[in-house]
Amino acid sequence: METKSSKRRLREWFSAEELHEESKKWTSELKFARDEQKFLNHMVKDYTLDIIDSDMFKTVQPVVESLNKSEKDLVELFKKVQLHENQLQIMVDEVNQERMEEAYLDTHSDLGREVEDYFVNYRDSKTKIFDIVSNVIKRKKQKRLLN
């Protein structure tokens, strides 16, 4: 006798409050990243001439492009998280809608991975920008001391 393979995955069932708290955490982290990106953009603008003078423009350009992509991705991801948060009603309406609740949990899980992936890439770009600007500042100080 053949057994049918179940398409269901084992999944931890979170309470609506836990889902809400996690969504709020994502929102908070994304808002902080948005503010941080403003700072990074300002920092790059402040040191643009020094970057060009230090012959690091070719090194900086792909990192700045990555940062700009992160900024655009953040806007889209933020919208997704807000929409997801607004749909939490499905989990608390006390109506047994198993398929919709499962779909919500699938979306929550996918969104969690997407937020995590976003921050891995964003932190990498941020670290590179700080390293580059630090090197530019050091070179600028050395140049000033030599003159």
Side-chain angles (χ1 to χ4, degrees):
M1 179 172 178
E2 281 184 40
T3 58
K4 292 183 181 179
S5 64
S6 175
K7 290 187 178 182
R8 289 183 176 221
R9 295 177 270 162
L10 292 177
R11 170 197 341 222
E12 189 175 348
W13 192 269
F14 295 104
S15 71
E17 187 172 320
E18 290 170 319
L19 295 168
H20 175 66
E21 287 302 316
E22 191 166 27
S23 296
K24 280 181 16 182
K25 179 181 162 222
W26 295 338
T27 300
S28 176
E29 289 172 346
L30 291 169
K31 284 180 179 178
F32 183 80
R34 182 183 60 201
D35 292 341
E36 201 173 41
Q37 284 182 341
K38 288 177 186 176
F39 169 77
L40 293 172
N41 288 336
H42 184 71
M43 185 174 65
V44 169
K45 286 177 186 174
D46 284 350
Y47 289 99
T48 299
L49 291 176
D50 297 319
I51 290 169
I52 292 170
D53 286 345
S54 67
D55 297 327
M56 295 182 73
F57 184 73
K58 289 182 181 179
T59 308
V60 172
Q61 191 172 8
V63 178
V64 170
E65 287 171 3
S66 174
L67 200 59
N68 288 338
K69 182 184 180 315
S70 290
E71 199 168 358
K72 290 174 186 162
D73 291 347
L74 181 129
V75 171
E76 291 303 313
L77 190 54
F78 190 76
K79 287 177 186 177
K80 286 181 182 180
V81 169
Q82 283 183 318
L83 178 63
H84 181 70
E85 179 71 13
N86 292 340
Q87 293 173 341
L88 183 62
Q89 180 65 29
I90 291 168
M91 301 300 288
V92 294
D93 62 6
E94 296 189 24
V95 176
N96 190 7
Q97 305 171 12
E98 191 173 319
R99 284 187 179 167
M100 290 182 75
E101 289 173 1
E102 283 184 23
Y104 183 87
L105 291 172
D106 286 342
T107 302
H108 189 83
S109 178
D110 293 345
L111 202 50
R113 281 191 293 279
E114 197 172 337
V115 167
E116 189 177 322
D117 291 345
Y118 168 80
F119 277 106
V120 166
N121 294 328
Y122 171 66
R123 286 183 187 112
D124 181 55
S125 297
K126 182 174 77 169
T127 300
K128 288 178 182 174
I129 284 289
F130 276 120
D131 289 345
I132 290 167
V133 172
S134 293
N135 287 334
V136 166
I137 291 171
K138 286 177 188 174
R139 286 183 184 183
K140 186 177 179 180
K141 282 184 180 180
Q142 288 173 346
K143 210 177 199 181
R144 210 173 342 141
L145 289 174
L146 293 174
N147 289 335

